[in-house]
Amino acid sequence: MKLGIAGKHALVCGASKGLGRGCAEALAAEGVNVTLVARTEAPLLRTADEIRASYGVTVTTVACDITTPEGRAAALAACPSPDILVNNAGGPPAGDFRDWSREDWIRALDANMLTPIELIKATVDGMMERGFGRIVNITSSAVKAPIAELGLSNGARSGLTGFVAGLARKTVAHNVTINNILPGMFDTDRLASLMKSRANQQGLSVDEARARIAHGIPAQRFGRPEEFGALCAFLCSAYAGYITGQNLLIDGGNYPGVF
Ligand code: NAD
């Protein structure tokens, strides 16, 4: 299925690795030109070269911290009028809420709520004027099924989710949709470091820790970034103009509820 977005331009944040890279690749495979944002230059340039070589699209890069005003200004200077925006940044640390200061909360809100909102603010009016726009926010299954020790993430991402629910109904008549994708457990660098610390805590090898956790997921495995990217690309497609304000869980069946 061709998605009808060849020649469009996407700004993809957190794109050198993991889920963001999965989204960038799936969009590039559809002929979308991509501006990739990530913090560290070397892996970012490597990813850009690989995507350019595989899909022949125009790939530009911005090495910056997207959670800072300077980082966002640099990303928007490189890609001022994206047709597609994928919001993504690292998640806040786990812990006990008794240990979190106001500054910890502000950092989490900046990264996982206010940064996507600022990028939406900078791009959504242009999308509406041009009559096409697709915005996808990478959030977390923890928005639907909160995990106590991820309180900073639960709180900040829920704030974004509430904001998007309102705005997405204002933009859709202009063919601009805003949706959130909620990943369960995906096989990325972030998951690998989580597995390493679980293995240490439980006195297991990393392979044993991975196998135990995967066994608890109905799909019996972790998700693959390309599966995540394919869902993102569909939501960004010409065919998804009637899907807006939704929270799409992609978790191998891990969430046990009906809705
Ligand atoms: P990852 O560590 O594999 O990749 C993160 C990417 O984002 C890298 O390219 C990194 O450079 C970039 N990045 C991080 N912080 C940035 C910043 N401040 N500015 C610019 N670039 C930044 O992570 P991932 O597993 O792909 O996770 C992506 C998001 O999805 C995170 O917010 C994570 O909390 C969330 N999430 C992941 C999972 C999972 O199982 N992998 C599950 C739930 C939620």
Side-chain angles (χ1 to χ4, degrees):
M1 179 177 184
K2 284 271 162 247
L3 297 184
I5 46 176
K8 302 276 188 206
H9 204 121
L11 175 58
V12 186
C13 304
S16 68
K17 296 195 268 181
L19 304 179
R21 177 176 174 153
C23 295
E25 287 215 36
L27 291 167
E30 288 296 320
V32 174
N33 301 309
V34 289
T35 297
L36 310 180
V37 179
R39 280 171 307 187
T40 316
E41 189 156 47
L44 178 61
L45 293 179
R46 231 179 359 257
T47 295
D49 284 344
E50 287 166 11
I51 291 181
R52 226 176 262 122
S54 299
Y55 307 107
V57 295
T58 302
V59 183
T60 46
T61 59
V62 185
C64 68
D65 181 344
I66 198 68
T67 67
T68 64
E70 303 74 33
R72 288 190 291 278
L76 290 165
C79 185
S81 308
D83 306 297
I84 293 166
L85 168 65
V86 179
N87 278 314
N88 178 34
D96 184 319
F97 83 96
R98 294 169 189 82
D99 301 326
W100 296 331
S101 64
R102 176 177 166 76
E103 286 64 42
D104 294 322
W105 275 106
I106 299 294
R107 249 194 310 278
L109 291 171
D110 261 341
N112 298 112
M113 178 182 174
L114 299 176
T115 290
I117 291 174
E118 288 287 332
L119 289 172
I120 292 170
K121 182 175 158 190
T123 56
V124 76
D125 289 338
M127 291 177 179
M128 289 199 288
E129 277 159 25
R130 294 189 300 277
F132 181 91
R134 299 286 183 262
I135 299 174
V136 171
N137 303 305
I138 300 181
T139 66
S140 172
S141 60
V143 171
K144 200 166 160 91
I147 301 164
E149 60 271 26
L150 292 179
L152 290 169
S153 170
N154 301 337
R157 296 188 199 276
S158 295
L160 174 65
T161 304
F163 167 76
V164 161
L167 182 63
R169 272 85 188 177
K170 295 276 183 202
T171 62
V172 65
H174 302 271
N175 192 22
V176 177
T177 67
I178 315 178
N179 293 289
N180 306 312
I181 307 184
L182 285 56
M185 298 193 102
F186 275 78
D187 214 349
T188 65
D189 282 9
R190 183 182 159 86
L191 189 90
S193 69
L194 189 76
M195 288 303 126
K196 217 183 215 170
S197 67
R198 286 274 171 93
N200 279 342
Q201 281 164 10
Q202 297 173 0
L204 301 170
S205 72
V206 174
D207 282 348
E208 283 165 341
R210 280 178 64 93
R212 276 197 193 181
I213 291 176
H215 188 65
I217 300 171
Q220 301 284 297
R221 65 173 176 86
F222 299 118
R224 293 187 280 267
E226 59 270 26
E227 294 174 310
F228 191 92
L231 174 57
C232 175
F234 180 74
L235 286 177
C236 295
S237 76
Y239 304 106
Y242 210 56
I243 304 174
T244 200
Q246 299 305 300
N247 292 286
L248 291 118
L249 195 59
I250 174 166
D251 72 345
N254 209 31
Y255 175 76
V258 177
F259 302 110

